[in-house]
Each structure stands twice: as structure tokens, then as C-alpha cells.
């Protein structure tokens, strides 16, 4: 589904991603872990097409298409969804208006008819129940006055509403208490399917107890320095990152 | 020097998105066509003879002519004010024609007698004057250059005792009401443009709602400037007697002209005990081109008097047009427990300038006022909110809440807030909140990431920003206003 080859990206002239290679197949769940500042959000934003980042090399192929040639809205319409680490507020625009517009834009792109108001409402009801969202939250302005946890929940609600092919979750677990974490993970697990893929970005392993990854990658200073199965996450939880940091590993050898 | 450099750097920083949008800014003003119609236009220039000519063209009684002349003589002694935060070259008042009317039969008995070119013009503007085609529930008075073309649904309204006609007709048919109220809220001595208007006003609407009557439909006036080098000076007077209610709407457009045209209207509202007047404006005069050439100077005095106890006046305005807008729809809260409201969206793009706001003058006890102002600046435009909240010494328990929000769409535009507060009664509560925000790259990216293209995203953000004001407009007009906003701002993020 997604192939990333030797991806390099800068922000404000500083190189953040220094050659990322990653392949994600349909049906798989990947996790990217790594300490703060290692470039996880940068990778997520670059995949989604945030123009604040400059791509200086490499390729991103999504379902056979060169993602780097697509505008962010077209990437979204192709099925790339980013659950933001810091969802923004849009005052005066209700969640419902926003989602209806978004869904219909995606449908238009695929030559599908718009949802009727009833279809849309039924969909809202079904998906909001999964996330335990109160109706009040849905009629309120997008993320305005939402608590940190409610914002994250709203991101996964949008994921289920839009039902894309590929979900990128950037620190979706941060700011969630244990009950909310279960609800949100359950939402992601409902999304998971043979023809979908998930990339979970986190620096805690606790989320991975609920969303079981097939592969875990460690991102450090803009490079993937280790990949493995889900047991790698547990190992990281135990031992921290130091034992795999290249400069430390090297100094031990010396 | 440093400033210029910074500006250039800022410009270079515009993201790709915004550049694409900038190119789209070239959307043309869609109401800019000219109607080919035979007109009778007064020679340029202003003197007592011209005023007598206007008055006689309108068959006015002597008292009206005298009133105009008094206003003119007063105006001659006044100086054009220059305190607003706007810039324009000096206006040559002798280079303007003060009267232009389509040639047609003097008395119109039905729509069939209206020049078909005129009917077509209003159809093109989306204002069909044929009663069958009109939105039910909206009666329209159409003003073309200096004269009222037709007023619809007159008969339906008459049954309730409501008078809705052109001010010229009211001067003929209801002189006592006009004499009693004209100039009672905005006297001709009020300000330079009010004095000028009083001397030369051409047409406008007159509304009278008798005691205890709720006007069953929206009343609407549509103003159209067509002729070149003429000014438009409408005069509107609305009187709501005890316990009555009326909702009134006004819309305006003008053709594209290279020269600036002056529009100096006066609107007076009077609400007696327990009466309510809702006055909504969607102002879309020609704003001038991208380089700031042409456009209407919109210098308007609008004021409402809440004379009776428990009376209420609400001003809602969506200002997207005009090269320069200079207006402060105000409320004089005389009656105890009376309420004044001002909801405003002012959009400026390219080189437009707007200095707009309100005055809430609290005189009676427990008077309340609310001010919600949303300024949106794009391009190299300049947008100022200027508002006065005055609490008189007898206004025991008066309250005001003011919220002024500005949104910036580019690095080269300006947003300014000038709130003036004068409190002479200790028991008053006055609250003022102000925010300034930029349409953020992060907001746009968030919406893009959900499949919404940038222009739609901008519209969504801007409409959200204006929502509290749009909520105050009657349904169909809220939809119009949203569309207008989208057009005015098309491609303006940068
Ligand atoms: N807008 C920005 N301007 C400058 N540096 C940034 C910006 N955003 C992120 N960075 C830097 O890029 C690096 C990677 O950040 P990020 O991708 O957010 O890391 P992570 O998500 O792994 O914590 C960090 O050193 C951070 O300081
Ligand atoms: Mg991050």
C-alpha cells in the first residue's frame, strides 16, 4: 500500500528526516516509536503533505501513485488520513458541517453521489456511539473548547466517518486516561481490515497493548535505526532507547 | 527601509498554496454591468437652483424645499471631516451630478408601466419585481439612481395599516408623518454628509408600522446606482409605533466605473414603546479594481432612536463592497429597558478601506446594548472598528457587551480597533473583548487533510468566524451573505 524510499525532509533549512525506508502492506499495523524530537511527527506531516516541510530527496508511493505530486486534499481523497497530535480549533464551524463537507468532497473525487442528510445522520449516530461521543460535542464547533482527550477522540471519530485506506495516528494516546485509551483503541481496531493499513506513532508502548502492531520501528534522529516485531516495543519499554542508539552502541564496541 | 525589507521577506514566505490563491483574487465584480436607459440627469454642480430643481422634479411641497435649502446653507458652512482612518483624494462636490432619473411616465399604476430595461436590470441582480416571482414574505422597494422604481406588495401591507413606499411618495401622501419624524434622529446639523444628504436626497424608503402591528413580511429596499458621475443620496425613515415589529433589509450594487462615486445616505429609525426594528444591510457597492481604481465612497449616517420603554433596535450589516466605507449605525437608548444591538461583518480586500462600527448611547435606565463586530482584511486593505459606548448619568443599571474580532488574511493588510468608552453612571457595566487572528496555515492544512480544498477551507473558516452575525440575518439573506463573502475573498489568503 505504502512504500517510502530514502526520504529526506527539512524544516526551516534543518534536515529532520535523513533517509527513511519503510514499506507498509494492506492489512498491516506498523508502529513508529522513538524519543521526543526524533522526527515522528515530521514523517506523519510529510506523508500527509504539510507544505511547511521541504522534501529534499526520496519517494513516497501510495497505492501505485506518487504522493509527492499530490496536494494534501488529494492525498486525503486518495485515502491518507492523519489523526493529528495537536488537532486545531475551527471556531464557528460545527463538527457536523465540517465532516459532511469532508465526506462529500472525498465522494465527489471518487465520482460517488453525496450522502443524503439521513445517510449522513445515521453514519454520525453509528460512529459517535463507538467513540462514546455525546451529541453536544458533534454539534459544537470543531475542537473548540474540547479537552485534550475529547480532541483525540474526535480525530478517531473522523477516521471512522471518513473511512480512508490508510490511517496515520500521531500520538493519539497522549492526554488520554485509561478508559479513553480503551475507547479510542477500540475505534482503531474497528477501522482495521484486510484492505486497510495503520501507522501508529507513539513514544509510549502502552497504546500498543490495545492496538497490536505487526511491526515496530525505532526512529531516532531522523533515521529508522531498528525494526522488529511487537516484542520490540516491550523491550523498549523495559530498557529505554539507549541500548540501540548508534553512538552509544559504537562507543561500547570501542 | 527595514520595513520594506521585512515586507518583501514576508511576501517570499507565502506558501505555494497561498500564491495559487492570490492568483485567483482576480475574480471580477459580478454586478458591474451598466443598464442602457434614457435618463434625465441634472447638470453637475451644487447650488440652490439644483436643490430647487430636485425638489420640483419631485413635486415637493414648499416646506420640504425650504428644509432642503436650510440644510444646504448649513452644509456650505461646514468642513468635510477627516478623522476616520481612511485616505482618499479631495472630493470635488461641484463635479458631481445630484439627480438622475430614468425617463418614464411620472405616475406608475402597475408594474406593466415600468420600463422593461429596468425590470430586466433588477432580474439580473436577482431581484425580480414581479410579485408572483418574488420570495413570498419579502416586499421590495427598488431604487434606481435617484428614484424609486416600484414597491411591491403594497396592497397586502395596506390592509394592516402598514405604509411601505418611497420617501418621495411619503412626502406627498403622508406629510404629517414625514414632518414629524424626518430629521428627528439625524438632524441636518449632525454631520457634513448628513447635511449634504438633507439638501439633495433623491429617494429612499419610508416605512410606518402602526401600533400593535407585526409586519407580516420582510420589507426590503434594493439600491442600484447606474448613471455615471452621479451621487446617490438616499433617505430612509422607519417608524415603529407602540408594540409593533418590523424587519427591514437593504441591498446595494453599482456598475464598474473607473471614477469614484459618492454615496451618502441617511437612515433614521424610531421605535416607540415596546416596538422592535430589525435593520439588516448587505452592502455590495462596487469596491474598485485590484489597483484601487474606481469604487463607491460609502459615507453613511444610520441611527436609530429607541424612544419608548422596552423598545429594541438591531442593526445587522454585512459590508463587502465600496472603495471606502465609513458608517456607524447607532442606537440612542432613550426609553427605560430599551435594547440596542449591532452585528457587523466588514470585509476589505485589495485596496478597500473600511472605518465602521457603532455608537450606543445609553440614556434610559436598565438599557442594554450588544456589539459584535467581525472585521476581515485581505490583500492590502485596511479595516478599522470604531465604536463608542456612552453611559449617561441617568442610565442606572445600563449594560454593554462588546466583542471585536479581526481576522487577517495577508501580511500586507491592516486591522485596527478604536473603542471609546464614556461612563457617567457608576452602576453601569461595560465589557469589551477583542481578538485578532490570522487564517492559520495549520487550520488550512487540517481542513485540506480531510479532503477540503484550500478555497473551500478559507470560506469555511471565514464563515465560522462570522457565524454569530450571519445568525442574525433572515435565512435567505444569510445564504446570500455567505456567497458574497466567498466571492469577495476568493483567492485572498496570502
Ligand atoms: N516548526 C518547526 N520549526 C523548527 N523545528 C521544528 C519544527 N517542528 C519540528 N521541529 C524540529 O524537528 C525535530 C523533529 O520534530 P518532530 O517531528 O515533532 O518530533 P517527534 O514527533 O518525534 O517528537 C525536532 O528537533 C523539532 O524541534
Ligand atoms: Mg510528535
Amino acid at each position: 500500500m505504502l512504500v517510502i524510499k530514502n526520504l529526506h525532509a527539512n524544516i526551516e533549512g534543518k534536515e529532520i528526516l535523513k533517509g527513511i525506508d519503510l514499506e507498509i502492506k494492506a492489512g498491516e499495523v506498523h508502529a513508529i516509536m522513538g524519543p521526543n524530537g526524533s522526527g515522528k511527527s515530521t514523517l506523519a506531516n510529510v506523508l500527509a503533505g504539510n507544505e511547511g516541510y521541504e522534501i529534499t530527496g526520496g519517494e513516497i508511493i501510495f497505492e501505485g501513485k506518487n504522493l509527492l505530486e499530490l496536494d494534501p486534499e488529494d492525498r486525503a481523497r486518495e485515502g491518507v488520513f492523519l489523526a493529528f497530535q495537536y488537532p486545531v480549533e475551527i471556531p464557528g464551524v460545527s463538527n457536523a458541517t465540517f465532516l459532511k463537507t469532508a465526506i462529500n468532497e472525498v465522494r465527489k473525487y471518487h465520482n460517488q453521489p453525496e450522502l443524503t442528510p439521513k445517510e449522513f445522520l445515521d453514519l454520525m449516530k453509528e460512529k459517535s456511539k463507538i467513540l462514546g461521543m455525546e451529541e453536544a460535542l458533534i454539534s459544537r464547533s470543531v475542537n473548540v473548547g474540547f479537552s485534550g482527550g475529547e480532541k483525540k477522540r474526535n480525530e478517531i471519530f473522523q477516521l471512522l466517518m471518513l473511512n480512508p485506506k490508510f490511517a496515520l495516528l500521531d500520538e493519539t494516546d497522549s492526554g488520554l486516561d485509561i478508559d479513553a485509551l480503551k475507547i479510542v483503541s477500540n475505534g482503531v481496531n474497528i477501522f482495521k481490515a484486510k484492505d486497510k493499513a495503520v501507522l501508529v506513532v507513539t513514544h509510549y508502548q502502552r497504546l500498543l497493548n490495545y492496538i497490536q502492531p505487526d511491526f515496530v520501528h525505532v526512529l531516532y534522529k531522523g533515521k529508522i535505526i531498528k525494526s522488529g516485531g511487537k516484542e520490540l516495543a516491550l523491550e523498549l519499554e523495559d530498557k529505554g532507547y539507549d541500548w540501540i542508539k548508534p553512538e552509544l552502541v559504537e562507543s561500547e564496541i570501542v | 527601509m527595514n520595513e520594506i525589507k521585512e515586507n518583501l521577506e514576508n511576501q517570499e514566505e507565502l506558501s505555494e498554496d497561498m500564491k495559487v490563491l492570490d492568483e485567483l483574487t482576480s475574480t471580477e465584480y459580478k454586478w458591474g454591468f451598466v443598464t442602457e436607459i434614457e435618463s434625465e440627469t441634472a447638470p453637475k454642480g451644487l447650488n440652490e437652483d439644483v436643490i430647487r430643481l430636485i425638489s420640483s422634479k419631485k413635486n415637493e411641497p414648499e416646506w420640504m424645499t425650504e428644509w432642503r435649502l436650510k440644510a444646504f446653507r448649513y452644509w456650505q458652512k461646514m468642513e468635510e471631516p477627516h478623522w476616520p482612518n481612511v485616505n482618499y483624494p479631495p472630493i470635488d462636490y461641484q463635479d458631481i451630478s445630484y439627480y438622475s432619473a430614468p425617463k418614464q411616465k411620472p405616475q406608475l399604476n402597475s408594474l406593466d408601466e415600468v420600463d422593461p430595461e429596468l425590470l430586466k436590470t433588477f432580474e439580473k441582480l436577482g431581484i425580480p419585481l414581479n410579485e408572483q416571482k418574488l420570495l413570498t414574505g419579502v416586499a421590495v422597494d427598488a431604487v434606481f439612481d435617484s428614484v424609486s422604481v416600484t414597491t411591491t406588495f403594497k396592497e397586502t401591507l395596506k390592509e394592516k395599516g402598514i405604509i411601505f413606499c418611497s420617501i418621495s411618495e411619503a412626502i406627498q401622501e403622508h406629510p404629517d408623518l414625514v414632518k414629524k419624524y424626518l430629521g428627528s434622529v439625524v438632524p441636518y446639523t449632525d454631520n457634513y454628509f448628513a447635511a449634504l444628504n438633507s439638501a439633495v436626497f433623491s429617494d429612499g424608503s419610508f416605512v410606518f408600522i402602526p401600533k400593535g402591528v407585526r409586519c407580516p413580511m420582510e420589507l426590503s429596499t434594493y439600491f442600484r446606482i447606474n448613471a455615471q458621475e452621479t451621487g446617490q443620496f438616499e433617505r430612509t425613515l422607519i417608524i415603529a409605533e407602540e408594540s409593533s415589529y418590523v424587519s427591514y433589509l437593504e441591498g446595494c450594487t453599482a456598475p464598474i466605473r473607473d471614477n469614484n462615486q459618492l454615496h451618502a445616505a441617511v437612515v433614521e429609525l424610531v421605535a416607540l414603546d415596546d416596538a422592535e426594528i430589525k435593520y439588516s444591510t448587505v452592502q455590495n457597492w462596487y469596491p474598485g479594481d485590484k489597483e484601487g481604481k474606481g469604487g463607491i465612497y460609502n459615507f453613511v449616517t444610520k441611527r436609530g432612536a429607541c424612544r419608548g420603554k422596552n423598545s429594541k433596535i438591531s442593526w445587522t450589516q454585512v459590508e463587502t463592497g465600496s472603495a471606502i466605507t465609513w458608517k456607524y449605525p447607532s442606537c440612542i437608548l432613550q426609553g427605560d429597558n430599551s435594547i440596542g444591538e449591532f452585528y457587523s461583518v466588514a470585509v476589505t480586500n485589495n485596496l478597500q478601506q473600511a472605518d465602521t462600527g457603532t455608537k450606543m448611547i445609553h440614556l434610559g435606565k436598565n438599557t442594554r446594548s450588544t456589539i459584535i463586530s467581525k472585521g476581515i482584511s485581505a490583500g492590502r486593505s485596511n479595516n478599522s472598528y470604531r465604536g463608542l459606548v456612552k453611559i449617561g448619568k441617568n442610565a442606572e443599571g445600563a449594560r454593554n457587551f462588546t466583542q471585536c474580532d479581526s481576522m487577517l488574511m495577508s501580511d500586507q493588510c491592516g486591522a485596527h480597533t478604536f473603542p471609546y468608552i464614556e461612563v457617567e453612571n457608576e452602576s453601569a457595566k461595560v465589557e469589551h473583548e477583542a481578538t485578532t487572528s490570522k487564517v492559520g496555515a495549520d487550520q488550512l492544512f487540517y481542513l485540506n487533510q480531510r479532503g477540503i480544498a484550500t478555497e473551500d477551507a478559507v470560506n469555511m473558516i471565514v464563515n465560522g468566524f462570522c457565524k454569530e452575525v450571519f445568525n442574525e440575518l433572515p435565512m435567505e439573506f444569510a445564504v446570500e451573505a455567505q456567497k458574497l463573502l466567498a466571492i469577495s475573498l476568493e483567492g485572498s489568503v496570502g
Side-chain angles (χ1 to χ4, degrees):
Chain A
M1 178 175 285
L2 180 73
V3 181
I4 302 172
K5 282 188 201 153
N6 195 27
L7 183 65
H8 290 255
N10 287 0
I11 183 158
E12 286 168 12
K14 192 172 120 196
E15 184 164 56
I16 308 291
L17 299 184
K18 302 170 182 169
I20 305 274
D21 291 284
L22 186 64
E23 183 171 353
I24 299 178
K25 297 200 175 77
E28 293 178 350
V29 176
H30 288 239
I32 290 202
M33 303 188 68
N36 267 330
S38 54
K40 302 183 298 294
S41 291
T42 303
L43 177 62
N45 274 280
V46 164
L47 288 174
N50 190 331
E51 279 152 12
Y53 299 80
E54 188 196 353
I55 313 297
T56 51
E59 278 189 296
I60 308 173
I61 309 296
F62 178 71
E63 298 278 68
K65 290 199 170 83
N66 179 0
L67 264 200
L68 294 176
E69 283 176 354
L70 296 182
D71 287 337
E73 60 270 28
D74 283 339
R75 297 186 197 196
R77 294 162 183 173
E78 287 289 346
V80 175
F81 180 96
L82 170 59
F84 285 78
Q85 180 170 6
Y86 304 108
V88 301
E89 301 184 358
I90 321 270
V93 177
S94 75
N95 251 330
T97 306
F98 160 60
L99 268 173
K100 195 159 170 240
T101 310
I103 288 175
N104 284 331
E105 286 297 319
V106 175
R107 293 180 68 89
K108 212 162 44 182
Y109 185 79
H110 294 285
N111 293 318
Q112 292 165 327
E114 293 195 352
L115 288 186
T116 65
K118 177 160 191 327
E119 285 168 333
F120 177 73
L121 249 128
D122 289 347
L123 195 66
M124 289 257 278
K125 269 192 201 138
E126 182 199 329
K127 305 302 181 194
S128 60
K129 211 177 279 168
I130 297 173
L131 273 306
M133 303 254 302
E134 285 167 39
E135 227 154 277
L137 280 185
I138 294 164
S139 52
R140 265 170 42 193
S141 294
V142 180
N143 294 324
V144 176
F146 285 31
S147 71
E150 283 167 344
K151 284 183 185 170
K152 294 303 178 70
R153 219 185 265 216
N154 196 21
E155 293 293 290
I156 302 307
F157 171 58
Q158 293 175 32
L159 169 70
L160 294 185
M161 289 293 288
L162 283 157
N163 196 26
K165 289 183 190 151
F166 174 53
L168 262 159
L169 313 181
D170 191 1
E171 308 270 2
T172 299
D173 51 334
S174 65
L176 293 183
D177 60 33
I178 191 72
D179 292 330
L181 184 67
K182 282 182 189 162
I183 292 171
V184 162
S185 310
N186 177 48
V188 176
N189 287 326
I190 285 173
F191 166 75
K192 266 177 17 188
K194 286 204 302 296
D195 57 342
K196 314 260 183 195
V198 180
L199 179 59
V200 184
V201 170
T202 179
H203 64 270
Y204 293 114
Q205 101 74 41
R206 103 186 153 142
L207 176 68
L208 304 179
N209 291 333
Y210 301 97
I211 305 171
Q212 299 257 333
D214 303 300
F215 301 94
V216 175
H217 313 275
V218 179
L219 186 66
Y220 180 66
K221 291 193 173 165
K223 279 188 173 163
I224 291 180
I225 53 167
K226 196 168 181 65
S227 296
K230 67 167 177 268
E231 66 290 344
L232 178 56
L234 293 169
E235 221 174 332
L236 290 168
E237 170 96 329
D238 240 23
K239 303 202 248 173
Y241 290 105
D242 280 357
W243 61 283
I244 47 168
K245 286 181 183 170
E247 63 264 29
L248 297 180
V249 174
E250 268 166 40
S251 67
E252 255 167 53
I253 294 166
V254 171
Chain B
M1 193 58 210
N2 259 340
E3 253 183 57
I4 295 172
K5 207 172 141 228
E6 239 176 61
N7 239 324
L8 285 175
E9 274 168 8
N10 276 341
Q11 263 170 317
E12 274 165 20
E13 274 169 27
L14 295 181
S15 72
E16 205 48 46
D17 230 11
M18 312 215 168
K19 273 187 212 149
V20 172
L21 272 171
D22 249 6
E23 281 157 25
L24 283 169
T25 322
S26 51
T27 318
E28 296 298 327
Y29 183 74
K30 292 181 178 158
W31 302 266
F33 63 90
V34 175
T35 306
E36 290 306 330
I37 192 158
E38 243 194 301
S39 288
E40 187 177 19
T41 303
K44 283 182 185 177
L46 189 52
N47 51 49
E48 295 204 0
D49 288 343
V50 169
I51 287 163
R52 285 203 178 85
L53 172 81
I54 296 170
S55 196
S56 80
K57 281 283 169 207
K58 297 188 163 295
N59 268 322
E60 284 176 357
E62 188 56 30
W63 58 266
M64 197 65 244
T65 317
E66 278 311 309
W67 195 75
R68 287 177 180 276
L69 287 169
K70 263 196 270 171
F72 175 66
R73 287 167 198 146
Y74 192 84
W75 176 77
Q76 283 180 305
K77 286 184 263 154
M78 297 175 92
E79 297 248 354
E80 190 180 321
H82 289 289
W83 49 262
N85 189 23
V86 297
N87 287 302
Y88 57 94
I91 298 172
D92 182 354
Y93 291 92
Q94 297 304 331
D95 196 35
I96 296 173
S97 162
Y98 289 85
Y99 184 78
S100 174
K103 269 191 189 153
Q104 58 178 25
K105 286 178 220 164
Q107 275 293 313
L108 291 178
N109 297 318
S110 81
L111 270 177
D112 303 339
E113 293 174 36
V114 177
D115 189 316
E117 274 300 313
L118 274 179
L119 290 182
K120 255 194 260 166
T121 299
F122 283 97
E123 290 258 358
K124 239 168 149 176
L125 295 167
I127 321 284
L129 296 178
N130 182 332
E131 290 191 6
Q132 275 96 54
K133 284 195 204 159
L134 274 174
L135 294 166
T136 40
V138 183
V140 177
D141 181 19
V143 176
F144 190 86
D145 287 336
S146 301
V147 291
S148 172
V149 176
T150 183
T151 310
T152 61
F153 290 112
K154 231 184 233 181
E155 291 307 309
T156 320
L157 294 169
K158 210 171 162 185
E159 286 162 19
K160 298 218 164 224
I162 294 168
I163 304 168
F164 178 39
C165 62
S166 70
I167 191 95
S168 314
E169 193 181 327
I171 290 167
Q172 310 284 342
E173 308 288 328
H174 311 283
D176 294 345
L177 283 173
V178 175
K179 261 192 214 165
K180 183 168 174 193
Y181 290 106
L182 189 73
S184 76
V185 188
V186 181
Y188 62 75
T189 51
D190 191 81
N191 70 71
Y192 189 79
F193 294 105
L196 178 62
N197 173 286
S198 303
V200 302
F201 73 86
S202 35
D203 221 328
S205 297
F206 176 82
V207 175
F208 174 80
I209 315 288
K211 200 169 170 171
V213 171
R214 270 190 82 84
C215 185
M217 54 178 75
E218 308 275 352
L219 302 184
S220 168
T221 300
Y222 195 88
F223 294 104
R224 173 76 177 169
I225 296 180
N226 188 60
Q228 205 155 2
E229 292 171 338
T230 55
Q232 180 147 330
F233 305 91
E234 329 92 45
R235 185 99 198 177
T236 294
L237 176 58
I238 300 179
I239 303 145
E241 280 200 333
E242 290 83 353
S243 305
S244 69
Y245 168 84
V246 64
S247 168
Y248 178 89
L249 310 151
E250 137 197 285
C252 359
T253 58
I256 295 172
R257 305 278 194 196
D258 284 347
N259 55 329
N260 295 108
Q261 280 178 288
L262 179 62
H263 169 254
V266 171
V267 175
E268 298 176 275
L269 313 182
V270 179
L272 303 184
D273 289 357
D274 305 296
E276 179 176 351
I277 302 175
K278 221 173 134 55
Y279 192 105
S280 313
T281 304
V282 176
Q283 185 265 110
N284 186 28
W285 297 116
Y286 177 54
D289 70 8
K290 275 183 84 170
E291 271 67 53
K293 198 163 186 215
I296 303 287
Y297 292 164
N298 189 35
F299 299 162
V300 169
T301 308
K302 292 184 168 179
R303 194 174 302 152
C306 281
R307 288 219 175 124
K309 62 175 169 49
N310 307 319
S311 58
K312 179 175 174 185
I313 290 180
S314 305
W315 298 100
T316 305
Q317 60 172 23
V318 177
E319 305 280 320
T320 63
S322 298
I324 304 178
T325 294
W326 177 10
K327 64 181 270 203
Y328 313 92
S330 305
C331 296
I332 299 169
L333 303 171
Q334 230 170 311
D336 290 348
N337 307 314
S338 62
I339 297 173
E341 293 175 338
F342 175 72
Y343 298 95
S344 170
V345 167
V347 183
T348 51
N349 197 357
N350 298 320
L351 285 165
Q352 281 177 277
Q353 309 174 63
D355 192 304
T356 183
T358 184
K359 287 188 263 182
M360 292 292 174
I361 314 292
H362 293 253
L363 302 175
K365 293 188 181 52
N366 298 315
T367 45
R368 278 172 289 154
S369 63
T370 304
I371 299 171
I372 308 282
S373 162
K374 306 279 180 174
I376 301 165
S377 344
R380 287 176 287 159
S381 68
N382 223 344
N383 202 326
S384 304
Y385 167 82
R386 188 184 303 275
L388 168 68
V389 175
K390 187 182 165 121
I391 313 280
K393 57 181 184 303
N394 298 325
E396 226 19 69
R399 270 180 290 154
N400 161 267
F401 173 75
T402 301
Q403 169 94 42
C404 277
D405 299 321
S406 310
M407 182 173 265
L408 302 172
M409 313 271 291
S410 82
D411 294 321
Q412 291 114 58
C413 58
H416 316 272
T417 307
F418 304 101
Y420 306 90
I421 298 171
E422 295 170 20
V423 178
E424 291 171 7
N425 184 305
E426 302 251 302
S427 68
K429 271 200 203 122
V430 177
E431 284 175 80
H432 180 93
E433 287 175 14
T435 66
T436 301
S437 55
K438 244 196 110 157
V439 170
D442 54 344
Q443 283 180 322
L444 290 176
F445 179 58
Y446 189 77
L447 297 179
N448 286 159
Q449 213 302 305
R450 297 300 185 252
I452 301 169
T454 302
E455 294 110 279
D456 297 332
V458 170
N459 284 338
M460 194 174 254
I461 293 166
V462 169
N463 277 319
F465 177 72
C466 301
K467 192 172 180 186
E468 289 153 278
V469 176
F470 287 166
N471 281 348
E472 295 299 319
L473 287 173
M475 226 351 213
E476 313 88 45
F477 287 79
V479 174
E480 277 308 301
Q482 281 191 19
K483 282 192 211 148
L484 204 54
L485 214 64
I487 291 164
S488 312
L489 288 172
E490 215 152 90
S492 59
V493 170

